[in-house]
Amino acid sequence: MSKIKPSQGAPYARIMGVGGYRPTRVVPNEVILETIDSSDEWIRSRSGIATRHWASAEETVAAMSVEASGKAIADAGITPSQIGAVIVSTVSHFKQTPAIATEIAHKVGAGKPAAFDISAGCAGFGYGLTLAKGMIVEGSAQYVLVIGVERLSDLTDLNDRATAFLFGDGAGAVIVGPSKVPAIGPTVWGSEGDKADTIKQTVAWDTFHAERPEKFPAITQEGQAVFRWAVFEMAKVAQQALDAAGIAPEDLDVFIPHQANMRIIDSMVKTLKLPEHVTVARDVETTGNTSAASIPLAMERLLATGQAKSGDTALVIGFGAGLVYAATVVTLP
Protein backbone atom coordinates (compact mmCIF):
# COMPACT_ATOMS: atom_id res chain seq x y z
CA MET A 1 0.00 0.00 0.00
CA SER A 2 1.35 3.40 -0.96
CA LYS A 3 2.64 5.63 1.83
CA ILE A 4 2.42 8.73 -0.35
CA LYS A 5 -0.09 11.27 0.91
CA PRO A 6 -2.73 12.09 -1.74
CA SER A 7 -2.62 15.56 -3.30
CA GLN A 8 -5.10 18.15 -2.08
CA GLY A 9 -6.19 20.21 -5.07
CA ALA A 10 -9.33 22.00 -6.16
CA PRO A 11 -12.23 19.99 -7.58
CA TYR A 12 -12.07 21.92 -10.87
CA ALA A 13 -10.17 24.72 -12.62
CA ARG A 14 -11.22 27.82 -14.54
CA ILE A 15 -9.76 30.74 -16.50
CA MET A 16 -9.89 33.68 -14.09
CA GLY A 17 -8.30 36.48 -16.09
CA VAL A 18 -7.01 37.25 -19.57
CA GLY A 19 -4.58 39.79 -21.01
CA GLY A 20 -3.02 40.54 -24.38
CA TYR A 21 -0.26 42.61 -25.97
CA ARG A 22 0.08 43.57 -29.63
CA PRO A 23 3.21 45.35 -30.86
CA THR A 24 2.80 49.02 -31.70
CA ARG A 25 3.85 48.68 -35.35
CA VAL A 26 0.97 47.82 -37.65
CA VAL A 27 2.08 46.34 -40.99
CA PRO A 28 -0.41 46.50 -43.90
CA ASN A 29 -0.33 44.18 -46.88
CA GLU A 30 1.30 46.91 -48.95
CA VAL A 31 4.53 46.39 -47.02
CA ILE A 32 4.48 42.65 -47.74
CA LEU A 33 3.96 43.36 -51.44
CA GLU A 34 7.35 45.09 -51.54
CA THR A 35 9.07 41.68 -51.51
CA ILE A 36 6.60 39.27 -53.14
CA ASP A 37 4.75 39.24 -56.46
CA SER A 38 1.16 39.33 -55.28
CA SER A 39 -1.69 41.74 -54.54
CA ASP A 40 -3.69 42.97 -51.58
CA GLU A 41 -6.78 41.34 -53.06
CA TRP A 42 -5.00 37.96 -53.39
CA ILE A 43 -3.74 38.06 -49.79
CA ARG A 44 -7.15 39.01 -48.41
CA SER A 45 -8.97 36.38 -50.47
CA ARG A 46 -6.55 33.61 -49.45
CA SER A 47 -6.11 34.50 -45.77
CA GLY A 48 -8.47 37.28 -44.74
CA ILE A 49 -5.46 39.21 -43.41
CA ALA A 50 -5.32 42.97 -43.98
CA THR A 51 -2.71 43.90 -41.35
CA ARG A 52 -0.46 42.29 -38.78
CA HIS A 53 1.67 43.55 -35.87
CA TRP A 54 5.47 43.28 -35.96
CA ALA A 55 7.60 43.71 -32.86
CA SER A 56 10.37 46.25 -32.46
CA ALA A 57 13.75 45.37 -30.97
CA GLU A 58 12.44 46.38 -27.54
CA GLU A 59 9.29 44.26 -27.87
CA THR A 60 10.99 40.98 -27.04
CA VAL A 61 9.28 37.68 -26.29
CA ALA A 62 9.79 38.40 -22.60
CA ALA A 63 8.67 42.05 -22.76
CA MET A 64 5.45 41.24 -24.61
CA SER A 65 4.73 38.38 -22.22
CA VAL A 66 5.22 40.57 -19.16
CA GLU A 67 2.78 43.16 -20.54
CA ALA A 68 0.12 40.54 -21.31
CA SER A 69 0.67 38.78 -17.99
CA GLY A 70 0.26 41.96 -15.98
CA LYS A 71 -3.16 42.50 -17.53
CA ALA A 72 -4.19 38.87 -16.91
CA ILE A 73 -3.08 39.03 -13.26
CA ALA A 74 -5.02 42.26 -12.70
CA ASP A 75 -8.07 40.84 -14.48
CA ALA A 76 -7.98 37.76 -12.25
CA GLY A 77 -7.76 39.87 -9.10
CA ILE A 78 -4.77 38.04 -7.65
CA THR A 79 -1.25 39.10 -6.71
CA PRO A 80 1.83 37.88 -8.64
CA SER A 81 3.11 36.15 -5.51
CA GLN A 82 0.13 33.77 -5.62
CA ILE A 83 1.25 32.29 -8.94
CA GLY A 84 2.58 28.78 -8.42
CA ALA A 85 3.61 28.00 -12.00
CA VAL A 86 4.36 29.81 -15.27
CA ILE A 87 3.93 27.98 -18.57
CA VAL A 88 5.08 29.66 -21.78
CA SER A 89 4.24 28.31 -25.23
CA THR A 90 6.52 29.69 -27.94
CA VAL A 91 8.65 28.65 -30.90
CA SER A 92 10.37 32.02 -31.30
CA HIS A 93 12.50 32.21 -28.14
CA PHE A 94 15.92 31.70 -29.66
CA LYS A 95 17.74 30.32 -26.63
CA GLN A 96 17.54 26.58 -26.24
CA THR A 97 18.09 27.12 -22.53
CA PRO A 98 17.22 28.59 -20.09
CA ALA A 99 13.47 28.68 -20.58
CA ILE A 100 12.10 32.18 -21.10
CA ALA A 101 9.40 31.32 -18.53
CA THR A 102 11.89 31.81 -15.69
CA GLU A 103 12.72 35.36 -16.81
CA ILE A 104 9.04 36.22 -17.23
CA ALA A 105 8.17 34.78 -13.80
CA HIS A 106 10.83 36.99 -12.22
CA LYS A 107 9.77 40.13 -14.08
CA VAL A 108 6.10 39.79 -13.16
CA GLY A 109 7.05 39.37 -9.51
CA ALA A 110 5.87 35.80 -9.14
CA GLY A 111 8.54 34.80 -6.64
CA LYS A 112 9.82 31.26 -7.16
CA PRO A 113 7.16 29.40 -9.15
CA ALA A 114 7.66 26.36 -11.34
CA ALA A 115 8.50 27.80 -14.76
CA PHE A 116 8.98 26.10 -18.11
CA ASP A 117 8.50 26.48 -21.86
CA ILE A 118 6.58 24.17 -24.17
CA SER A 119 6.87 23.87 -27.95
CA ALA A 120 3.58 22.86 -29.51
CA GLY A 121 3.24 25.46 -32.25
CA CYS A 122 -0.22 26.86 -32.78
CA ALA A 123 -1.74 24.31 -30.40
CA GLY A 124 0.54 25.48 -27.59
CA PHE A 125 -2.03 27.51 -25.68
CA GLY A 126 -4.37 24.53 -25.48
CA TYR A 127 -1.53 22.33 -24.26
CA GLY A 128 -0.56 24.89 -21.62
CA LEU A 129 -4.17 25.31 -20.50
CA THR A 130 -4.52 21.56 -20.02
CA LEU A 131 -1.28 21.33 -18.03
CA ALA A 132 -2.41 24.23 -15.84
CA LYS A 133 -5.77 22.59 -15.22
CA GLY A 134 -3.99 19.43 -14.09
CA MET A 135 -1.78 21.40 -11.70
CA ILE A 136 -4.76 23.10 -10.07
CA VAL A 137 -6.75 19.88 -9.64
CA GLU A 138 -3.68 17.90 -8.53
CA GLY A 139 -2.78 20.57 -6.00
CA SER A 140 0.74 21.49 -7.12
CA ALA A 141 -0.29 25.13 -7.73
CA GLN A 142 -3.18 27.36 -6.71
CA TYR A 143 -2.85 29.71 -9.68
CA VAL A 144 -1.03 29.14 -12.97
CA LEU A 145 0.01 31.76 -15.52
CA VAL A 146 -0.29 30.41 -19.08
CA ILE A 147 1.26 32.46 -21.87
CA GLY A 148 1.24 32.08 -25.65
CA VAL A 149 3.80 34.40 -27.25
CA GLU A 150 5.49 34.69 -30.63
CA ARG A 151 7.80 36.97 -32.63
CA LEU A 152 7.17 35.17 -35.89
CA SER A 153 8.43 38.15 -37.88
CA ASP A 154 11.89 36.89 -36.91
CA LEU A 155 11.13 33.58 -38.63
CA THR A 156 9.37 34.90 -41.72
CA ASP A 157 10.96 34.74 -45.17
CA LEU A 158 9.63 37.92 -46.78
CA ASN A 159 10.45 36.53 -50.22
CA ASP A 160 8.33 33.40 -49.75
CA ARG A 161 5.05 34.10 -51.53
CA ALA A 162 3.30 31.28 -49.66
CA THR A 163 4.00 32.52 -46.13
CA ALA A 164 5.33 36.10 -46.17
CA PHE A 165 1.89 37.59 -45.48
CA LEU A 166 0.75 35.15 -42.79
CA PHE A 167 2.59 35.77 -39.58
CA GLY A 168 2.38 38.38 -36.85
CA ASP A 169 3.76 39.01 -33.37
CA GLY A 170 2.05 39.25 -30.00
CA ALA A 171 1.44 37.75 -26.57
CA GLY A 172 -1.67 36.47 -24.83
CA ALA A 173 -1.91 35.30 -21.23
CA VAL A 174 -4.46 33.79 -18.85
CA ILE A 175 -4.56 32.99 -15.16
CA VAL A 176 -5.95 29.54 -14.36
CA GLY A 177 -7.21 28.98 -10.83
CA PRO A 178 -9.50 26.86 -8.69
CA SER A 179 -13.21 26.44 -9.37
CA LYS A 180 -16.12 24.78 -7.57
CA VAL A 181 -17.79 23.94 -10.87
CA PRO A 182 -16.42 22.59 -14.18
CA ALA A 183 -15.16 25.52 -16.27
CA ILE A 184 -12.48 23.92 -18.47
CA GLY A 185 -13.66 20.84 -20.31
CA PRO A 186 -11.73 17.70 -21.21
CA THR A 187 -9.07 18.35 -23.84
CA VAL A 188 -9.00 16.46 -27.12
CA TRP A 189 -5.42 16.62 -28.29
CA GLY A 190 -2.88 14.65 -30.27
CA SER A 191 -0.38 14.68 -33.11
CA GLU A 192 0.17 13.35 -36.60
CA GLY A 193 3.92 13.00 -36.93
CA ASP A 194 3.75 11.61 -40.44
CA LYS A 195 2.85 15.15 -41.53
CA ALA A 196 5.63 16.85 -39.59
CA ASP A 197 7.24 18.24 -42.75
CA THR A 198 4.17 20.26 -43.79
CA ILE A 199 5.07 23.10 -41.38
CA LYS A 200 8.72 23.35 -40.47
CA GLN A 201 11.81 25.48 -39.99
CA THR A 202 13.87 25.68 -43.15
CA VAL A 203 17.26 25.05 -41.51
CA ALA A 204 17.98 23.27 -38.22
CA TRP A 205 19.95 25.35 -35.71
CA ASP A 206 22.79 22.83 -35.58
CA THR A 207 23.41 23.18 -39.32
CA PHE A 208 23.21 26.95 -39.39
CA HIS A 209 26.27 29.14 -39.10
CA ALA A 210 26.45 32.92 -39.35
CA GLU A 211 29.31 32.83 -41.87
CA ARG A 212 27.44 30.59 -44.30
CA PRO A 213 25.51 32.04 -47.23
CA GLU A 214 22.21 30.40 -46.24
CA LYS A 215 19.30 32.56 -45.26
CA PHE A 216 18.38 32.79 -41.59
CA PRO A 217 16.04 29.90 -40.68
CA ALA A 218 12.40 30.70 -41.43
CA ILE A 219 9.08 28.92 -41.11
CA THR A 220 7.64 27.33 -44.22
CA GLN A 221 4.51 25.31 -44.85
CA GLU A 222 2.63 23.39 -47.51
CA GLY A 223 -0.40 25.63 -47.61
CA GLN A 224 -2.93 23.40 -49.36
CA ALA A 225 -2.07 20.33 -47.27
CA VAL A 226 -2.36 22.33 -44.06
CA PHE A 227 -5.65 23.88 -45.20
CA ARG A 228 -7.22 20.51 -45.99
CA TRP A 229 -6.03 19.01 -42.70
CA ALA A 230 -7.25 21.97 -40.66
CA VAL A 231 -10.68 22.16 -42.28
CA PHE A 232 -11.55 18.47 -42.37
CA GLU A 233 -9.63 16.89 -39.49
CA MET A 234 -9.79 19.73 -36.96
CA ALA A 235 -13.55 20.07 -37.29
CA LYS A 236 -13.73 16.45 -36.11
CA VAL A 237 -11.47 17.23 -33.15
CA ALA A 238 -13.59 20.27 -32.28
CA GLN A 239 -16.69 18.09 -32.32
CA GLN A 240 -14.98 15.56 -30.07
CA ALA A 241 -14.20 18.34 -27.58
CA LEU A 242 -17.86 19.38 -27.61
CA ASP A 243 -18.94 15.78 -27.05
CA ALA A 244 -16.42 15.31 -24.23
CA ALA A 245 -17.77 18.39 -22.47
CA GLY A 246 -21.38 17.36 -23.05
CA ILE A 247 -21.98 20.51 -25.09
CA ALA A 248 -24.02 20.76 -28.29
CA PRO A 249 -23.17 23.41 -30.93
CA GLU A 250 -26.35 25.31 -30.05
CA ASP A 251 -25.19 25.51 -26.41
CA LEU A 252 -22.07 27.45 -27.38
CA ASP A 253 -21.80 31.22 -27.02
CA VAL A 254 -18.36 31.70 -28.55
CA PHE A 255 -15.99 29.89 -30.93
CA ILE A 256 -12.29 30.81 -30.65
CA PRO A 257 -10.22 28.80 -33.15
CA HIS A 258 -6.52 29.33 -33.79
CA GLN A 259 -6.30 32.42 -35.97
CA ALA A 260 -4.50 30.76 -38.85
CA ASN A 261 -6.53 31.84 -41.83
CA MET A 262 -10.00 33.33 -42.33
CA ARG A 263 -10.95 30.68 -44.90
CA ILE A 264 -10.08 27.93 -42.43
CA ILE A 265 -12.14 29.62 -39.71
CA ASP A 266 -15.16 30.08 -41.98
CA SER A 267 -14.91 26.51 -43.25
CA MET A 268 -14.78 25.12 -39.71
CA VAL A 269 -17.84 27.15 -38.73
CA LYS A 270 -19.69 25.68 -41.70
CA THR A 271 -18.52 22.11 -41.07
CA LEU A 272 -19.44 22.30 -37.37
CA LYS A 273 -22.82 23.83 -38.33
CA LEU A 274 -22.51 26.47 -35.66
CA PRO A 275 -25.70 28.50 -35.12
CA GLU A 276 -25.71 32.18 -36.09
CA HIS A 277 -25.85 33.29 -32.45
CA VAL A 278 -22.35 31.87 -31.79
CA THR A 279 -19.75 34.64 -31.78
CA VAL A 280 -16.75 33.64 -33.90
CA ALA A 281 -13.29 35.12 -33.28
CA ARG A 282 -11.82 36.60 -36.46
CA ASP A 283 -8.87 38.45 -34.95
CA VAL A 284 -6.67 37.19 -37.80
CA GLU A 285 -7.85 40.05 -40.02
CA THR A 286 -5.91 42.67 -38.08
CA THR A 287 -3.47 40.59 -36.03
CA GLY A 288 -2.31 37.91 -38.45
CA ASN A 289 -1.34 34.40 -37.42
CA THR A 290 0.41 34.69 -34.04
CA SER A 291 0.67 30.92 -33.45
CA ALA A 292 0.50 30.10 -29.74
CA ALA A 293 -0.61 33.66 -28.90
CA SER A 294 -3.60 33.73 -31.24
CA ILE A 295 -6.28 32.15 -29.03
CA PRO A 296 -5.68 34.20 -25.86
CA LEU A 297 -5.26 37.37 -27.96
CA ALA A 298 -8.57 36.70 -29.71
CA MET A 299 -10.21 35.87 -26.37
CA GLU A 300 -8.99 39.12 -24.87
CA ARG A 301 -10.29 41.19 -27.78
CA LEU A 302 -13.73 39.57 -27.74
CA LEU A 303 -14.09 40.31 -24.03
CA ALA A 304 -12.68 43.83 -24.32
CA THR A 305 -15.03 44.75 -27.18
CA GLY A 306 -18.09 43.17 -25.58
CA GLN A 307 -18.53 40.60 -28.33
CA ALA A 308 -18.18 37.99 -25.59
CA LYS A 309 -18.89 38.26 -21.88
CA SER A 310 -17.87 36.69 -18.61
CA GLY A 311 -19.52 33.33 -18.11
CA ASP A 312 -19.93 32.58 -21.81
CA THR A 313 -19.27 29.02 -22.94
CA ALA A 314 -16.52 28.93 -25.55
CA LEU A 315 -14.97 26.25 -27.74
CA VAL A 316 -11.24 26.84 -28.27
CA ILE A 317 -9.08 24.85 -30.67
CA GLY A 318 -5.45 25.24 -31.69
CA PHE A 319 -3.59 23.35 -34.40
CA GLY A 320 -0.25 23.61 -36.17
CA ALA A 321 3.31 22.41 -36.68
CA GLY A 322 3.93 18.85 -35.68
CA LEU A 323 1.18 18.42 -36.70
CA VAL A 324 -0.44 18.92 -33.28
CA TYR A 325 -3.82 20.01 -32.02
CA ALA A 326 -5.75 20.69 -28.82
CA ALA A 327 -9.40 21.58 -28.30
CA THR A 328 -11.49 22.16 -25.20
CA VAL A 329 -14.60 23.93 -23.98
CA VAL A 330 -14.11 26.68 -21.38
CA THR A 331 -16.12 29.21 -19.44
CA LEU A 332 -14.83 32.70 -20.22
CA PRO A 333 -13.50 34.75 -17.29
Side-chain angles (χ1 to χ4, degrees), residues 32-332:
I32 306 299
L33 296 175
E34 294 174 3
T35 53
I36 62 170
D37 180 16
S38 188
S39 68
D40 178 66
E41 179 182 7
W42 188 90
I43 293 174
R44 288 173 184 259
S45 66
R46 293 299 187 277
S47 69
I49 298 172
T51 60
R52 72 284 295 146
H53 294 255
W54 282 356
S56 66
E58 292 75 26
E59 292 168 317
T60 63
V61 166
M64 293 190 294
S65 297
V66 170
E67 290 291 331
S69 298
K71 295 177 183 178
I73 293 167
D75 192 41
I78 68 168
T79 63
S81 62
Q82 292 177 278
I83 296 171
V86 178
I87 303 171
V88 178
S89 177
T90 185
V91 299
S92 46
H93 169 52
F94 288 160
K95 291 182 180 179
Q96 208 73 33
T97 190
I100 195 65
T102 59
E103 178 182 341
I104 295 167
H106 172 70
K107 288 184 175 179
V108 300
K112 299 180 180 180
F116 58 94
D117 298 351
I118 59 174
S119 177
C122 305
F125 176 73
Y127 276 48
L129 191 63
T130 302
L131 292 172
K133 172 186 172 184
M135 291 178 180
I136 302 301
V137 174
E138 187 268 340
S140 58
Q142 184 178 12
Y143 300 101
V144 180
L145 173 60
V146 180
I147 303 165
V149 57
E150 300 294 1
R151 272 182 56 118
L152 294 180
S153 58
D154 291 335
L155 290 168
T156 299
D157 181 352
L158 294 179
N159 295 301
D160 181 2
R161 189 172 184 270
T163 60
F165 57 90
L166 283 176
F167 302 116
D169 303 336
V174 300
I175 293 292
V176 179
S179 175
K180 294 181 180 179
V181 297
I184 300 176
T187 298
V188 178
W189 56 356
S191 64
E192 297 183 24
D194 59 318
K195 302 179 181 66
D197 286 342
T198 56
I199 305 175
K200 62 183 180 181
Q201 185 172 299
T202 53
V203 181
W205 295 118
D206 59 355
T207 62
F208 181 79
H209 191 281
E211 296 179 357
R212 294 186 178 184
E214 290 95 342
K215 292 181 180 179
F216 195 76
I219 296 173
T220 185
Q221 70 175 21
E222 297 175 20
Q224 287 300 314
V226 172
F227 180 87
R228 288 191 297 270
W229 175 76
V231 169
F232 297 110
E233 297 303 321
M234 291 305 96
K236 298 176 185 176
V237 171
Q239 184 61 57
Q240 291 171 24
L242 289 174
D243 294 341
I247 298 291
E250 55 267 26
D251 297 325
L252 281 177
D253 300 305
V254 185
F255 178 44
I256 311 177
H258 164 49
Q259 302 293 293
N261 178 306
M262 195 75 79
R263 290 173 65 205
I264 290 176
I265 294 171
D266 291 340
S267 295
M268 290 184 72
V269 169
K270 183 178 180 180
T271 302
L272 288 168
K273 298 180 180 179
L274 296 183
E276 290 187 5
H277 76 264
V278 176
T279 297
V280 179
R282 292 187 170 88
D283 195 44
V284 66
E285 181 178 5
T286 57
T287 304
N289 178 344
T290 57
S291 190
S294 78
I295 291 175
L297 276 175
M299 183 185 297
E300 186 248 4
R301 173 164 282 175
L302 289 176
L303 290 167
T305 58
Q307 296 176 72
K309 63 183 184 300
S310 175
D312 278 353
T313 300
L315 169 63
V316 300
I317 179 169
F319 44 87
L323 293 170
V324 296
Y325 51 87
T328 188
V329 176
V330 305
T331 300
L332 294 183

